[in-house]
Amino acid sequence: MTGEPFSADIPSALSNAIGHMRAAGVPDPVRDARILLARAIDQPIDRLALFTQGTMSDRQARRFADDVRRRVNREPISLITGRKDFYGRSFAVGPAVLAPRPETECLIELALAERFERVLDLGTGSGCILFTLLLEQRTPAWGVGVEKCPDALMVAMENRDDFDLAVPPVLHRGDWYSGIENALPDGFPSFNLIVSNPPYIAASEMAGLEPEVRDHEPDIALTDGADGLSAYREIVSGAPKYLIPGGRILVEIGHMQADAVTGIFRAAGLHDIAVNPDLDGRDRVVSARA
């Protein structure tokens, strides 16, 4: 980022930040500049209007300038702040995990439409799906989150510690279903529900992603390095062993993958297969039963 250093004068600093972000192609520079200003002066965003005619300390001005430079380089706001809202709660995030997306809330709604006692979240990442389901379920429930990446698992553990869960879920380092039995303290129960937001972007599609995603989010959470369908094959291969008869499986998909994923589910012998849209009307979740 070039230009004069950021002023401690808040109106000037905010205007300068918006201009730099707009020139860099940041999608919503006004919103992002306000978020970073609120962070710099340690105020909630809904109180920012009370401070927009004031001045910052030198420390605050430097922090704001540094954060704006990061955003100009298309680093996501969630990585700069270390937090991302999902289903009404704030979750810790970081470079090792996929930041929660609003469209994933469609999976949450579908999962909560029926009662469950035990849920398995494959590729749990930040844990936002697993913890949201356990916190929103009206009857007692318990869960397991499986994550391959050790750094991602540390983020999930941080989020688990932030929430008041009656029965804390097990967080297990593993690749899909590997070693789940060994992670459970009291034997191995089958699950009523399996959920996953797996890496579903094909390797050939990675170059076309927005820089916030392509350059700053973990490849392991985005792509299988192949056709974008490998994870679904892994998930359905183990489902008969870990899902009770009649139990449900819900997976997020790319909006062009419905036919391919339903075909994989059908070939695996799953039943009641359905494609569910998100709020924008795009195919988002495939659901089925054992």
Side-chain angles (χ1 to χ4, degrees):
M1 187 174 72
T2 59
E4 293 299 316
F6 276 72
S7 169
D9 176 67
I10 287 179
S12 298
L14 190 61
S15 177
N16 196 6
I18 292 169
H20 279 294
M21 290 186 193
R22 184 172 285 125
V26 172
D28 194 341
V30 175
R31 180 202 65 182
D32 289 359
R34 287 172 55 82
I35 290 172
L36 296 180
L37 177 60
R39 166 179 155 85
I41 64 175
D42 297 313
Q43 293 293 331
I45 189 72
D46 58 1
R47 287 178 51 84
L48 191 60
L50 301 176
F51 300 90
T52 52
Q53 298 304 313
T55 58
M56 292 182 280
S57 68
D58 289 344
R59 179 188 63 81
Q60 290 171 335
R62 286 194 299 271
R63 184 184 194 187
F64 184 53
D66 289 343
D67 285 351
V68 171
R69 289 187 184 97
R70 293 171 67 181
R71 189 66 187 106
V72 164
N73 290 328
R74 303 301 291 272
E75 189 172 344
I77 283 284
S78 59
L79 284 187
I80 298 172
T81 64
R83 310 292 302 184
K84 186 66 183 287
D85 288 346
F86 180 75
Y87 213 81
R89 295 180 179 87
S90 176
F91 287 84
V93 296
V97 301
L98 190 71
R101 265 63 167 181
E103 53 266 30
T104 302
E105 295 186 358
C106 169
L107 187 152
I108 299 295
E109 293 287 346
L110 290 165
L112 292 173
E114 296 183 24
R115 187 176 67 85
F116 58 86
E117 296 173 350
R118 298 177 300 277
V119 55
L120 172 63
D121 180 16
L122 295 171
T124 198
S126 67
C128 65
I129 294 175
L130 176 63
F131 304 145
T132 298
L133 290 177
L134 294 176
L135 289 162
E136 293 290 330
Q137 171 82 342
R138 293 182 180 179
T139 56
W142 172 82
V144 176
V146 180
E147 175 55 53
K148 181 179 181 179
C149 172
D151 290 338
L153 202 62
M154 292 296 291
V155 176
M157 290 177 178
E158 179 181 349
N159 282 317
R160 181 179 62 182
D161 292 344
D162 282 346
F163 297 113
D164 184 18
L165 291 156
V167 183
V170 171
L171 295 175
H172 169 61
R173 183 182 174 188
D175 192 7
W176 304 119
Y177 298 97
S178 64
I180 293 177
E181 297 93 333
N182 299 327
L184 305 180
D186 298 314
F188 178 69
S190 297
F191 295 92
N192 310 95
L193 176 65
I194 294 176
V195 294
S196 184
N197 179 14
Y200 56 70
I201 299 171
S204 61
E205 298 171 330
M206 288 291 288
L209 297 178
E210 290 293 319
E212 284 88 348
V213 178
R214 183 190 63 233
D215 299 335
H216 296 284
E217 298 210 83
D219 283 356
I220 193 174
L222 296 171
T223 182
D224 59 0
D227 63 355
L229 299 171
S230 302
Y232 303 110
R233 300 184 186 104
E234 293 280 354
I235 290 167
V236 300
S237 70
K241 179 179 179 181
Y242 298 100
L243 201 58
I244 65 170
R248 295 180 297 152
I249 181 168
L250 302 172
V251 295
E252 185 168 331
I253 63 169
H255 70 281
M256 300 293 289
Q257 292 178 312
D259 289 344
V261 175
T262 55
I264 292 170
F265 277 32
R266 194 172 295 111
L270 296 172
H271 302 280
D272 295 340
I273 301 169
V275 179
N276 305 273
D278 59 23
L279 291 177
D280 292 326
R282 295 175 295 186
D283 294 339
R284 184 57 59 189
V285 175
V286 172
S287 59
R289 293 185 187 275

